[in-house]
Structure formats: structure tokens, C-alpha cells
Amino acid sequence: MEMNREKLCTSKADVSSDSAYHCSTCHDDEEWSNTSRGRAKSRSLSASPALGSTKEFRRTRSLHGPCPVTTFGPKACMLQNPKTIMHIQDPASQRLTWNKPPKSVLVIKKIRDASLLQPFKELCVYLTEENNMIVYVEKKVLEDPAIANDDNFGPVKKKFCTFREDYDDISNQIDFIICLGGDGTLLYASSLFQGSVPPVMAFHLGSLGFLTPFNFENFQSQVTQVIEGNAALVLRSRLKVKVVKEYREKMTVQNGIEENGVVSTNLEKEVGKQIMQYQVLNEVVVDRGPSSYLSNVDVFLDGHLITTVQGDGVIVSTPTGSTAYAAAAGASMIHPNVPAIMITPICPHSLSFRPIVVPAGVELKIMLSPDARNTAWVSFDGRKRQEICHGDSISITTSCYPLPSICFRDPVSDWFESLAECLHWNVRKKQNNFAVEEEEF
């Protein structure tokens, strides 16, 4: 299921090793660029320099903090552990490039939305006829009567490669993905790839569009620049979730009394465990389901019990998911480049249970408390909802397969523009200043 890794990589800046970790926090010779709030009227990627001219690309800010000093006072220092050394490229300089020209593209269209039929047809014609690309679409998209009965679209439709979710594996055939719709199309694209994910270009044709930064008016030039490798990337971390369920079967024990009208005893015999794994972009939600009782689940961090959630449930989200259900439940919003996992209670029966942020590398485990009165239910990005019983467990950690989302401008500007335009973050009528009183002479 692993994708061809030579297709995608993030470009490395043409700098020496001495300046690889140069940041403006430690040095004052880097200028910070001015960013504007709100979406630009003319949406184009031309402001970003092409990757072919890396010498012209100058990073103007860093998303990394300064390198910490590891000596403390005259004699103390940090014990060096070579197993934990990790070099991470500055997220502000992550840009898309291709080792080989892309040849195949997956087009994901929002189902049952008549307003997307014309953009879908225009995009597919542009990709197949002008760029000679192989276009993959889901089979149920072509079953729409408006597409199936369109004779003018027939020659283009014959060139499509189709697939069915949960039946066909296309993970090794797709070079990049184009989404037409809202945020749900991006979540759906993530669910199709349980391993490495191709870069995703999302057009805002839905209702909210927090994760879809591109407008469709100038799609030809924008798609062309992505094909040429001229785009910034934000790596949206995903959660690797493993659900372990106690697999039981009921066995009737014949005790010789059943023939006399007495019901025989039913015993449950454990015959094994069922293991399921998921890659989650937004959040894992554990709730009380249809029960009227409080959910009562234990939360473990790296094997240690940290708390018991008594309320409607708990949300474990990525930074990308912090602006979704978690934000509605009162959590803080985290930029997608921050390596973290957020734990947010849903209507906890406690005045002191606040959302917390834990490091991205920890492993969380959620289980029903031994004294829980009812079962719980779990869902993954709002899908695959299932019941969790006593003895079942949900293990969650950060996945090594992020979703590379193509930016319209850059990771910082796109995020704050979405906050302002989609969520109206901190919108308030400004306070008037004091009136200047004229001096009396």
C-alpha cells in the first residue's frame, strides 16, 4: 500500500550546513515579511518562486523555535542520546517538487451536488485533453444521471479509470489529488490512503472550506503550476489508530436440565482478538452513543492512567482537527505545523476538566472503565462508527504518514485567512478612541 516515494519530496534549500538552523529568533539579520489578513482578491500561485530557482527563494521566517542551549550553568549539561536525534526541515520552507513528471491524478467530487457538475467536467477536460493525464474517479461519481446521460462528455468519460472504495487499491497509481467540494472531500481523500498520501490540491466549492484554500475561477493556471512543482506544502499530521476488540462467541452448555423446561446457561468463551487500524486526519471521537448514562472511559498516556472521562465523551484530535469538533467543544485552535495531539472532553461532569495538549510522540490508550454502566461508541473522522465494550481498547499515536496539503500562499497565511474568513475569528466592532478635546485659550 506504500506509495512510490520517488514521486514526491520536499525541496531542500540551497544553504550550507552551518546555516540550516539559522532563525530570526537567534539572529537579527532576517527580515520578517508582511502578511495580510483575509483572502487575496486575485488568487494566484505566481507569488511563490519556482522550485527550479532555489537560489531566488529566501525563507523570511521560521516556524521552528530557537535551538535550546544544552549547557546549564558552569557544570551541568544535557545527556546526549544519539537515538533521539532527529533533523526536521523548517515547515516554512517545505515546497513541492517532482522527481518525475506526474501522470495520474485522482479527482474527488462531492456527491449529490449539482453545482459541481460543470466545474468537474471542465477540470477533467483540461486534465485529459490539454495535459494528457490519466484521471481516476470513483465509480459512483459517473453513475450520476447528469454525467451518464451527457453525450458531449462521453469521449472524455471513456478515458477515465474508475475505482470503488474498500474494493480497489489505488494507492500506488495516484500522483496527486484534486478535491472539488468542502472539507469533507479532503477527509474522504485521506481515508482512501492508509499509507503514504499523494499531495492534495483542494478547491473551495463547499459550504465552509476551512481546509480548501483554492478558488476555481483560475484553476487552469493553478493546476499547471502544481504540475510544474511550484507550490508550498503543509504537512497535516494524521493519527494512527488501532482498535483491539475482544472477539467472543456464545456457547450453550448443556447441563441436562434444559429438557425439563429450564433454560440452559450461556457462557462467553474468548476465542481471540479483532484488530482494526485507521489513519485519521481530524479526530477520534469516543462518546456515550444512545445511552442516557455518562460515558466512563479511562485515558492512558504511555501506559499510565492520566484521567477518567465522565461526561458525553472525549475527542482526540490532530492540529488540523482542532478547528473542527474540538473547537466546538471549547478547545484551543492549533496550527497544523505544531507537532501535538489534543485531548478535549465533551460536556464533562467536572468544572476543572480543561482540554490539554500532549506531545505528538506519545501513545494514548482509551478503554472503558471497569465500573462503566454502559458501552461507548467511537468514530474516525465521523466514519466507521462502532461500539466499544469492556475489554476493548483504542490506541492512538501520531502517524508517520501525514497528508501533504498544497497551500495557496504559505502555511501561515492560509491558516489565518481561513480563521478570519470561515470562522470569523475575533470579529468585533472596534472600540472608539477618546475624542480629542480642543485646548482652551
Side-chain angles (χ1 to χ4, degrees):
M1 190 174 288
E2 190 174 6
M3 295 290 296
N4 295 329
R5 295 190 177 180
E6 73 274 10
K7 295 284 186 180
L8 172 66
C9 65
T10 52
S11 62
K12 299 180 179 179
D14 187 14
V15 294
S16 63
S17 59
D18 295 336
S19 60
Y21 297 97
H22 187 76
C23 67
S24 58
T25 309
C26 303
H27 303 82
D28 295 328
D29 56 345
E30 279 194 3
E31 295 180 0
W32 286 64
S33 64
N34 294 326
T35 57
S36 60
R37 179 177 176 179
R39 295 183 186 269
K41 294 182 179 179
S42 177
R43 302 185 67 80
S44 171
L45 291 171
S46 59
S48 303
L51 288 177
S53 58
T54 55
K55 293 183 179 179
E56 297 178 3
F57 176 72
R58 182 172 182 266
R59 177 169 53 83
T60 56
R61 60 175 172 268
S62 172
L63 298 188
H64 283 324
C67 299
V69 176
T70 56
T71 57
F72 317 108
K75 296 183 178 179
C77 65
M78 182 76 71
L79 177 64
Q80 298 298 320
N81 185 357
K83 294 183 179 180
T84 60
I85 294 177
M86 180 173 58
H87 299 286
I88 304 176
Q89 184 178 353
D90 183 4
S93 65
Q94 290 174 167
R95 301 187 62 81
L96 174 68
T97 187
W98 305 99
N99 287 334
K100 296 180 181 179
K103 296 296 183 183
S104 60
V105 56
L106 169 62
V107 178
I108 297 178
K109 170 188 166 295
K110 185 179 180 181
I111 305 297
R112 297 182 297 274
D113 192 338
S115 65
L116 297 182
L117 293 176
Q118 189 60 32
F120 172 75
K121 294 177 182 179
E122 293 179 6
L123 175 64
C124 292
V125 170
Y126 176 75
L127 292 172
T128 55
E129 296 185 357
E130 297 191 27
N131 288 278
N132 196 26
M133 300 198 71
I134 302 172
V135 177
Y136 284 77
V137 295
E138 195 170 5
K139 190 174 182 180
K140 61 183 179 182
V141 172
L142 300 183
E143 295 173 353
D144 190 323
I147 296 178
N149 300 330
D150 189 350
D151 296 333
N152 296 328
F153 194 61
V156 177
K157 188 171 59 176
K158 292 179 180 179
K159 300 178 183 179
F160 289 163
C161 294
T162 60
F163 72 97
R164 295 173 299 170
E165 184 187 7
D166 297 331
Y167 286 93
D168 302 318
D169 182 14
I170 60 172
S171 57
N172 291 324
Q173 281 79 42
I174 305 300
D175 293 334
F176 73 103
I177 305 169
I178 296 179
C179 294
L180 302 177
D183 295 342
T185 58
L186 192 69
L187 296 175
Y188 179 68
S190 172
S191 68
L192 294 176
F193 296 87
Q194 295 300 301
S196 179
V197 186
V200 182
M201 184 180 191
F203 285 95
H204 176 36
L205 294 170
S207 54
L208 184 63
F210 191 91
L211 305 178
T212 55
F214 291 95
N215 287 331
F216 195 74
E217 286 78 9
N218 302 318
F219 77 93
Q220 296 94 337
S221 60
Q222 294 171 343
V223 171
T224 298
Q225 292 188 50
V226 170
I227 294 175
E228 293 174 352
N230 181 13
L233 282 178
V234 55
L235 299 183
R236 299 186 178 275
S237 63
R238 299 196 294 175
L239 298 176
K240 177 183 176 182
V241 185
K242 183 174 70 172
V243 179
V244 180
K245 289 190 173 184
E246 299 280 353
Y247 189 77
R248 298 173 182 271
E249 65 177 3
K250 293 184 178 180
M251 297 180 57
T252 301
V253 179
Q254 303 294 336
N255 53 14
I257 307 177
E258 187 177 10
E259 298 178 357
N260 299 328
V262 180
V263 179
S264 62
T265 305
N266 290 334
L267 299 180
E268 290 186 352
K269 179 182 178 181
E270 183 176 351
V271 296
K273 293 184 178 181
Q274 182 183 10
I275 300 177
M276 295 160 288
Q277 293 193 12
Y278 305 94
Q279 297 283 333
V280 177
L281 178 60
N282 260 2
E283 71 274 302
V284 179
V285 178
V286 181
D287 59 68
R288 59 190 175 94
S291 174
S292 59
Y293 295 110
L294 291 172
S295 73
N296 196 341
V297 295
D298 293 334
V299 180
F300 299 84
L301 190 149
D302 288 340
H304 301 283
L305 177 65
I306 58 172
T307 191
T308 298
V309 180
Q310 297 183 95
D312 281 353
V314 63
I315 306 168
V316 180
S317 60
T318 62
T320 297
S322 68
T323 53
Y325 192 1
S332 297
M333 294 180 289
I334 306 176
H335 189 275
N337 277 127
V338 177
I341 298 176
M342 173 165 280
I343 304 173
T344 307
I346 307 172
C347 296
H349 198 253
S350 170
L351 298 178
S352 59
F353 198 164
R354 303 298 300 273
I356 61 172
V357 178
V358 297
V362 304
E363 181 178 7
L364 298 171
K365 179 177 284 189
I366 299 177
M367 300 180 67
L368 274 179
S369 297
D371 52 352
R373 295 183 178 183
N374 57 291
T375 61
W377 289 76
V378 61
S379 61
F380 314 94
D381 284 341
R383 310 179 77 215
K384 308 292 185 182
R385 187 169 172 82
Q386 53 195 271
E387 190 175 16
I388 298 298
C389 303
H390 286 281
D392 301 343
S393 66
I394 306 168
S395 299
I396 305 171
T397 189
T398 300
S399 171
C400 61
Y401 297 110
L403 185 141
S405 180
I406 298 174
C407 301
F408 166 67
R409 293 168 64 187
D410 60 76
V412 175
S413 299
D414 285 9
W415 193 66
F416 277 100
E417 288 174 5
S418 293
L419 286 181
E421 185 165 305
C422 300
L423 299 182
H424 302 290
W425 177 61
N426 196 27
V427 174
R428 181 190 183 276
K429 185 178 180 180
K430 287 193 175 182
Q431 185 182 48
N432 295 328
N433 59 352
F434 287 116
V436 178
E437 297 181 358
E438 297 182 0
E439 296 183 0
E440 297 179 0
F441 296 93

